[in-house]
Amino acid sequence: MGPDPLVGRERSMASMGSMERERPVERILPEPDARVAAVLSGLEERSRKEQAELEALRAKGGTALRERAGSFMLDVGPDVGQLLNTLVRAMAAHTVVEVGGSVGYSTIWLAEAVRATGGRLYSIEVDPGKQDEQRDNVREAGLAGVVELTALEAPALLPTLAGPVDLVLLDHWKELYVRDFDACWPTLRPGGAVVADNILIPKKNAEVIAAYRRHVGGVPDAQSQVLAIGDGIEFTVKREARPGVRRASGSGP
């Protein structure tokens, strides 16, 4: 029996994720903004410095990383950041929700595009220390006018938003992905999308991520694809329910 191609792919992805943080960042913003670029560069430098310690904590297993999570960015990385920015622009997104804003790296990528579309970004971060950093970074980037920072969790926030949601980013504790997908999905417009980060890396999340993907796969008006960029994302688009297909019990909203 030959080698398992999935194992090889996971190893390759792990290597790619590490290389992404080490290589120079080629940032392509449609309208270069010195303030945005400066804040992103500073955060990317911090992220690169954090990688060795993060890998050591992940290797320990258990709760080692969770206990120190407040000290790290745990960001999406530049490739996913660029994709999020492009998606907002391509979709002409006006209402964007970020679940897990951390210190504001992905917030800034999203908000820069939301400013261009005339929309608004709602960013959830429940850690008070991280939200303070996020607020400072968003303000320094000149994007505070298009971002609403909140500590409300998704099930509490989404019912308060007026109008449909265009795009959602899930990038927080993985065991909450199903709950927060279900909170967001009814408010998402047809053609809207949910992007979930950390689908392929780290491998310790494989079981809970598999459960999330099964859950999403049971939603008849959802169409998903995994993209091997950054730590792996799943891109799920809302489409009209397929005629004759019934939702299985417990398969989603």
Side-chain angles (χ1 to χ4, degrees), residues 11-182:
R11 288 174 180 162
S12 174
M13 281 299 300
S15 175
M16 287 170 60
S18 175
M19 289 171 60
E20 178 186 75
R21 306 307 169 108
E22 294 173 2
R23 64 172 168 76
V25 177
E26 182 183 2
R27 186 177 299 108
I28 308 171
L29 288 173
E31 300 171 4
D33 183 310
R35 295 177 70 182
V36 170
V39 177
L40 288 176
S41 293
L43 290 173
E44 285 157 4
E45 178 62 23
R46 172 181 169 181
S47 181
R48 284 190 290 272
K49 291 177 179 178
E50 290 179 351
Q51 292 311 301
E53 191 173 359
L54 275 172
E55 292 306 316
L57 288 171
R58 283 172 176 149
K60 287 183 179 179
T63 61
L65 178 54
R66 182 166 295 230
E67 290 168 357
R68 295 278 313 282
S71 304
F72 297 100
M73 286 176 54
L74 302 173
D75 57 290
V76 299
D79 287 343
V80 175
Q82 178 73 59
L83 175 63
L84 293 170
N85 186 280
T86 301
L87 283 173
V88 171
R89 291 170 179 273
M91 299 170 71
H94 281 261
T95 302
V96 179
V97 176
E98 176 184 38
V99 188
S102 187
V103 302
Y105 182 76
S106 51
T107 312
I108 291 169
W109 275 110
L110 289 165
E112 193 279 336
V114 163
R115 180 174 61 184
T117 65
R120 191 157 186 82
L121 168 64
Y122 299 85
S123 180
I124 298 171
E125 179 49 59
V126 299
D127 183 307
K130 281 193 169 184
Q131 192 182 75
D132 286 344
E133 289 188 70
Q134 181 188 26
R135 181 176 292 104
D136 289 344
N137 287 324
V138 169
R139 185 181 296 118
E140 187 176 348
L143 296 168
V146 296
V147 180
E148 183 170 323
L149 305 182
T150 179
L152 289 177
E153 297 197 38
L157 174 66
L158 270 297
T160 72
L161 301 184
V165 173
D166 298 293
L167 180 66
V168 176
L169 171 65
L170 299 179
D171 186 26
H172 58 322
W173 298 120
K174 309 315 166 199
E175 64 269 21
L176 298 179
Y177 272 21
V178 168
R179 183 199 74 175
D180 291 345
F181 176 91
D182 285 356

